[in-house]
Amino acid sequence: MSAKYPRAETSGLKKAQYLLGAKVAGGALLKLDRMKLARKLARPPKPGPFGPPLKSSAWLKELITGHYLKGRFASGARPVAWVTSGAPVEPLIALGFFPIYPENHGAVCGIRRSAEEICEEAESAGYSRDICSYARTDIGSMLSGKTPVGRLPPPDLLVCCTNICQTVLLWYRVLAQHFGCPLVNIDTPFLYGEAQEHQIAFVEKQLEELVRAAEEVSGNRLTEKKLHQVTRYSKQATELWAQIIQMGRHRPAPITAFDQFIHLAPIVEMRGEPFTVDYYGALLEELQERAAQGVGALKEEKIRLVWDNLPVWHKVRWLSEVLAESNATLVASTYTNAWGELTEFIDPENPMRSAALTYLHPILNRGTGHKLSLMKGMVESFEADGVILHSDRSCKPYSIGQVDQRERLTKEAGVPALLLEADHNDPRAFSEEQSRARVEAFLEVVEAKA
């Protein structure tokens, strides 16, 4: 059978540059930087409402910076795949691909406050401000080359999975046209209840085509042994991540959802790697020590809240400070839980079928009733006093049904709930003054009811 997909071009020189630049020299510098940051984090906490920072943050910075550093040297050294956050990445990792997650890169741009400028590059090219701000950030970066991470390697293969939204398909078609590389789409039927056998088979069949494309682009052959191993690492990492989330049930909570938003990065963009398992093992151990010693993320914790939807990346620190002024924090989040709740579907001994099951079940591919049940369960198990639902202008699938969910949380779970309007990456769709007023009024209601 003749090849359908073009093979990625690699060279010995590029491989040597990748090894020396990203892994040897870059790795040594990142280790040194990690040691410096670890010493800084070990100092007594500053005056204010927050407890001591997580020591594991130094390792996290090394992982994230190292990932983008490898990306700068990856082109021509390894096949590169750009994938959506909910894409089945395990076969790609097993075949040696270097993955880039445009949504994660968008979040980095949001935190670094560069998303607005990059979005404007896309808007200048004719893309509407009504399009998802992740998509505008990615397309703007693609057109202008602007990014806070140095440089992104161009893709040899694009993999899009519609289990998070339909926008990604249109978005990835733009990328495919720009870069002139193949696009594989994994279409996942929406689940209103349990996944049916024909739905699982439909996704599994598409995964077989993904493997064929990835083999041809990489020039490598997928082996069962390697796929089992990568899937096992994914399962171990998601199990640890689920346990990390559950640590928020302690009083005081040793980790908040604000921390989870940041420490989420490896489970999204480094699944299937042994160092991700090691990192989450160390983070969990640190949290268990903090819980045993009664060390909380806040020095005084009075109000415990659940968060729904993506973070407001450009205001994560600001919102954590506004809540902390009232001794309030987020102890759980439906967003960070989205990866932990997939653990039960991952089976390393049956990786292709379990991949079909796993990637059918992300929260955005399930009915709104599932999310409502999840939030009610979180209110009970995390002993939360209220819920903040982020009505995200850019993420309609995550925001749909929130007006009804707010009312039912109040009536059925017995807790106040706030609908907070913002955008996860575009600061032009956010009013700091109005948001502060609404959050402070909400906290007064929560405190009066507690």
Side-chain angles (χ1 to χ4, degrees):
M1 183 182 294
S2 60
K4 180 179 176 183
Y5 301 96
R7 184 169 175 175
E9 294 183 4
T10 57
S11 71
L13 175 61
K14 291 290 185 182
K15 290 178 181 178
Q17 290 174 336
Y18 176 82
L19 177 64
L20 295 174
K23 304 195 79 171
V24 178
L29 290 173
L30 289 173
K31 290 284 184 194
L32 184 62
D33 187 54
R34 173 179 164 183
M35 291 170 60
K36 291 179 179 177
L37 181 56
R39 285 197 293 270
K40 184 178 178 181
L41 293 172
R43 296 172 186 164
K46 298 178 181 177
F50 297 105
L54 291 167
K55 297 174 185 174
S56 300
S57 298
W59 191 350
L60 176 69
K61 183 182 178 186
E62 180 189 8
L63 287 179
I64 296 174
T65 307
H67 179 75
Y68 285 109
L69 178 63
K70 290 175 187 173
R72 296 181 69 168
F73 289 90
S75 188
R78 295 174 58 180
V80 176
W82 286 23
V83 301
T84 53
S85 62
V89 73
E90 285 76 13
L92 302 177
I93 301 299
L95 283 165
F97 276 85
F98 184 83
I100 287 289
Y101 293 76
E103 293 146 83
N104 267 39
H105 172 250
V108 172
C109 294
I111 292 175
R112 301 279 189 89
R113 312 288 177 85
S114 58
E116 180 177 346
E117 179 187 351
I118 298 175
C119 282
E120 287 174 346
E121 294 287 349
E123 292 157 18
S124 297
Y127 293 92
S128 169
R129 277 183 65 174
D130 290 327
I131 297 172
C132 166
S133 53
Y134 272 167
R136 280 181 286 132
T137 303
D138 183 45
I139 293 170
S141 180
M142 174 192 76
L143 294 173
S144 67
K146 293 180 179 177
T147 169
V149 302
R151 187 178 72 86
L152 295 177
D156 299 302
L157 177 67
L158 293 160
V159 180
C160 165
C161 189
T162 57
N163 56 6
I164 52 174
C165 69
Q166 295 297 315
T167 298
V168 291
L169 179 55
L170 303 174
W171 168 3
Y172 273 58
R173 281 175 176 166
V174 172
L175 297 178
Q177 184 176 32
H178 179 86
F179 289 109
C181 69
L183 164 63
V184 176
N185 178 48
I186 307 294
D187 184 30
T188 50
F190 192 80
L191 300 183
Y192 291 95
E194 296 296 321
Q196 303 299 306
E197 193 57 42
H198 67 89
Q199 295 172 317
I200 300 168
F202 177 64
V203 175
E204 197 170 353
K205 190 70 177 176
Q206 295 175 80
L207 292 176
E208 293 172 2
E209 179 63 19
L210 169 62
V211 170
R212 179 191 171 191
E215 285 183 333
E216 290 185 2
V217 171
S218 67
N220 299 323
R221 178 67 65 182
L222 184 65
T223 66
E224 285 190 11
K225 181 180 178 182
K226 185 64 177 176
L227 183 58
H228 287 199
Q229 183 185 52
V230 169
T231 305
R232 188 170 298 109
Y233 290 141
S234 282
K235 185 173 182 64
Q236 290 172 346
T238 53
E239 285 177 339
L240 289 165
W241 180 246
Q243 293 178 64
I244 288 166
I245 290 170
Q246 291 300 312
M247 293 303 295
R249 295 171 64 180
H250 287 266
R251 282 182 180 268
I255 184 171
T256 69
F258 293 114
D259 300 314
Q260 294 171 21
F261 294 152
I262 308 302
H263 289 263
L264 179 71
I267 197 64
V268 179
E269 63 188 2
M270 302 173 204
R271 289 195 305 279
E273 300 284 4
F275 55 78
T276 303
V277 178
D278 294 340
Y279 170 70
Y280 282 130
L283 175 59
L284 179 60
E285 186 175 338
E286 182 184 359
L287 295 174
Q288 290 169 336
E289 290 176 2
R290 284 166 68 110
Q293 297 168 3
V295 176
L298 287 186
K299 291 176 181 173
E300 186 177 0
E301 177 191 288
K302 288 184 177 178
I303 299 174
R304 298 163 60 85
L305 302 169
V306 170
W307 176 268
D308 178 50
N309 215 324
L310 281 76
V312 184
W313 288 114
H314 47 96
K315 290 294 176 186
V316 167
R317 181 68 184 180
W318 175 85
L319 184 56
S320 70
E321 291 175 345
V322 169
L323 293 180
E325 290 171 7
S326 299
N327 298 315
T329 193
L330 308 177
V331 294
S333 156
T334 59
Y335 178 67
T336 57
N337 184 70
W339 279 266
E341 70 176 352
L342 297 176
T343 301
E344 62 176 300
F345 301 108
I346 305 174
D347 178 5
E349 300 307 316
N350 196 357
M352 293 299 279
R353 179 180 170 82
S354 80
L357 268 171
T358 302
Y359 293 102
L360 269 166
H361 281 86
I363 188 170
L364 294 182
N365 203 49
R366 305 171 76 173
T368 54
H370 167 71
K371 195 174 79 169
L372 177 62
S373 297
L374 176 65
M375 287 190 285
K376 290 162 73 173
M378 283 181 159
V379 166
E380 182 178 357
S381 62
F382 286 81
E383 298 179 338
D385 304 300
V387 180
I388 298 179
L389 302 103
H390 169 203
S391 179
D392 188 346
R393 184 176 182 275
S394 269
C395 193
K396 297 173 182 65
Y398 215 136
S399 305
I400 193 169
Q402 284 182 319
V403 172
D404 295 330
Q405 289 164 355
R406 177 185 58 180
E407 292 182 7
R408 295 187 64 173
L409 283 166
T410 301
K411 293 177 180 176
E412 299 172 13
V415 293
L418 170 69
L419 202 62
L420 184 66
E421 295 177 343
D423 185 288
H424 59 248
N425 236 33
D426 192 339
R428 294 169 294 180
F430 181 81
S431 168
E432 192 170 298
E433 293 77 14
Q434 290 180 10
S435 297
R436 172 181 278 275
R438 298 201 66 201
V439 169
E440 289 178 345
F442 172 67
L443 292 175
E444 288 180 8
V445 173
V446 172
E447 194 165 17
K449 187 176 175 60

